[in-house]
Amino acid sequence: MNKNIIKAFALFGAVFSMSACTSDMEFKDSQVSAITQLYEPADGKSVTLQASATASTFFEWEAAKAEDSGSPLYEVVFYKDGESTPIYKVLSDKNGMMNSATITHKTLNKLAAAAGFKSGASGTVSWSIIASRGLNQAEATVKHQLNITSLEGFDEIPSSLFIMGEGAENGAAFSSPEQGVYEIFTKLEGGKSYQFCSNNKGDGTIYSLDGLKLREGGSTVAPATGIYRLVLDFNVASATIREIKSLGLFFCPNNNIMFDLPYAGNGEFSGVGVVAFKQEGWGRDERYKFLMEYADGTKQFWGTKNGTDSRPGGLAMDDPYYYIMETGNNQWDDKWKFDGDFDGGSDGPHPGVKTRITVLFHGANYTHHVELAD
């Protein structure tokens, strides 16, 4: 009997302890102080937006204080001048953790459009800061005005785009990696003209380049024959043009180019060579990706868009396994693996077998194909 009473008390104590612990550990939103000082940009400052991808404006304000001594999150909020409803919000640096924000001019141009500014026109918005901790938030007690001269973008952006003319791969289609931005990998003939058209018949809206400015009408002359990467941003009426020197199969175990992939037309690079896997103590190493070199000497890796650490196992060539994207400067990361059928090393299972690799820079997803050439 006594033992049963002791057990009952022990059980009651455990339940009480768990209940108290649950009560103590219950999450409670912490109050956060309202910011009273905005540092940068100064009230009334003017900024003329630049089309450069790296152009930005720095915002800074005093740090808020949270009741639980934790770190608040911050958003920069923008308003039409004289109004109280936000039209645009941007997280501060480091995903909202910093009491500062580096906001690109491209983002500020979107803000200007939301405020109703015409392309290339000037106007005034006001900005403030919302600090939050959990579900609680507090808006700054002050606002600053910011005068913005917007970028000269296009009010009407084409739904598709093609390159036309004797100096280009006539009728080749652009890809569109984001709204209002078009990209193409193509061959241009030096001294010959080309232009861009909203349809592949050549009778749509015509666009051309004036230096690195995108304009309606006219034509452009290529400075030299070569393979180029053209990026046209209709949001800011600007262009980026880079000549491509080479694209090669980068074999990770050897940290070098195994063989080149010459340009084959229509945004495709294709090459044939022997892929010799590297013998390691644990087996045959088959990891690879691609390395592009531009005419100015800079290099860019292209690796997997969908991370993987396995062989494709005979997947169809249109499988997302083969999708590619720009990746960081690293020997090993963001790579693929060859299936064993492509091991043509002299010490491998298929000595001398040749592989054809084709990289396709067109369509909704850039990708590549791997096939036996024999």
Side-chain angles (χ1 to χ4, degrees):
M1 183 70 177
N2 289 338
K3 289 183 179 179
N4 290 335
I5 293 175
I6 292 172
K7 288 180 179 179
F9 273 109
L11 178 61
F12 175 78
V15 171
F16 179 81
S17 175
M18 290 173 62
S19 175
C21 182
T22 301
S23 177
D24 289 343
M25 289 172 22
E26 184 178 341
F27 177 78
K28 296 179 180 179
D29 289 312
S30 175
Q31 298 297 320
V32 62
S33 66
I35 291 164
T36 60
Q37 294 187 70
L38 307 178
Y39 301 140
E40 289 288 341
D43 193 17
K45 183 174 180 177
S46 296
V47 56
T48 299
L49 302 185
Q50 304 295 321
S52 168
T54 59
S56 62
T57 297
F58 184 69
F59 290 72
E60 188 178 20
W61 53 91
E62 71 170 347
K65 295 180 176 62
E67 186 179 33
D68 63 355
S69 300
S71 298
L73 294 177
Y74 302 98
E75 280 186 304
V76 187
V77 289
F78 295 91
Y79 305 83
K80 288 184 178 180
D81 193 31
E83 297 188 6
S84 58
T85 302
I87 58 170
Y88 210 88
K89 295 181 179 181
V90 181
L91 276 176
S92 72
D93 291 343
K94 292 190 178 179
N95 293 318
M97 298 296 294
M98 302 293 292
N99 61 311
S100 61
T102 305
I103 303 180
T104 66
H105 282 192
K106 191 170 182 179
T107 297
L108 291 178
N109 198 58
K110 293 179 181 178
L111 157 68
F117 300 175
K118 296 291 185 181
S119 297
S122 299
T124 300
V125 297
S126 58
W127 66 277
S128 188
I129 302 298
I130 292 178
S132 61
R133 182 70 177 159
L135 297 177
N136 293 324
Q137 62 180 33
E139 184 166 355
T141 59
V142 291
K143 292 180 181 178
H144 276 185
Q145 288 188 325
L146 182 66
N147 304 312
I148 297 176
T149 300
S150 63
L151 293 165
E152 295 181 0
F154 287 82
D155 292 330
E156 293 187 16
I157 296 175
S159 58
S160 59
L161 197 67
F162 302 83
I163 194 165
M164 316 293 290
E166 63 173 356
E169 296 180 83
N170 193 54
F174 279 76
S175 301
S176 184
E178 59 180 287
Q179 180 65 36
V181 178
Y182 288 95
E183 179 176 65
I184 193 170
F185 293 73
T186 192
K187 182 178 180 179
L188 298 177
E189 298 284 348
K192 296 183 180 181
S193 63
Y194 65 96
Q195 54 192 184
F196 317 112
C197 186
S198 58
N199 65 36
N200 60 1
K201 299 177 181 178
D203 58 0
T205 305
I206 297 295
Y207 306 92
S208 62
L209 297 177
D210 181 6
L212 295 180
K213 295 293 292 183
L214 186 60
R215 64 181 181 181
E216 189 170 332
S219 63
T220 308
V221 176
T225 298
I227 311 305
Y228 291 86
R229 180 183 186 182
L230 280 67
V231 181
L232 309 182
D233 192 337
F234 283 80
N235 301 303
V236 296
S238 69
T240 301
I241 304 174
R242 304 193 71 180
E243 184 179 357
I244 299 169
K245 179 181 177 182
S246 64
L247 179 70
L249 170 66
F250 182 85
F251 196 61
C252 301
N254 295 340
N255 195 27
N256 62 15
I257 298 295
M258 184 164 277
F259 56 84
D260 287 331
L261 309 177
Y263 186 67
N266 193 33
E268 298 182 7
F269 295 76
S270 186
V272 175
V274 174
V275 178
F277 291 10
K278 186 178 181 181
Q279 183 64 50
E280 302 286 2
W282 44 264
R284 306 284 285 176
D285 199 335
E286 72 282 62
R287 291 172 284 182
Y288 72 97
K289 47 188 174 178
F290 303 103
L291 183 61
M292 179 177 287
E293 183 175 356
Y294 292 103
D296 63 6
T298 59
K299 297 180 180 181
Q300 174 65 58
F301 275 108
W302 292 81
T304 177
K305 186 176 182 179
N306 303 301
T308 180
D309 194 35
S310 64
R311 294 183 176 185
L315 290 172
M317 287 295 99
D318 59 355
D319 192 272
Y321 177 91
Y322 293 102
Y323 289 173
I324 70 174
M325 64 179 291
E326 289 182 316
T327 55
N329 182 21
N330 183 284
Q331 178 181 352
W332 299 103
D333 294 345
D334 309 304
K335 82 295 176 192
W336 298 273
K337 292 184 176 182
F338 287 109
D339 274 332
D341 292 344
F342 302 104
D343 186 356
S346 59
D347 58 345
H350 310 289
V353 69
K354 291 184 178 180
T355 299
R356 181 185 307 279
I357 299 177
T358 304
V359 178
L360 300 85
F361 289 109
H362 55 67
N365 289 288
Y366 297 159
T367 188
H368 73 286
H369 295 167
V370 180
E371 57 190 341
L372 292 175
D374 296 337

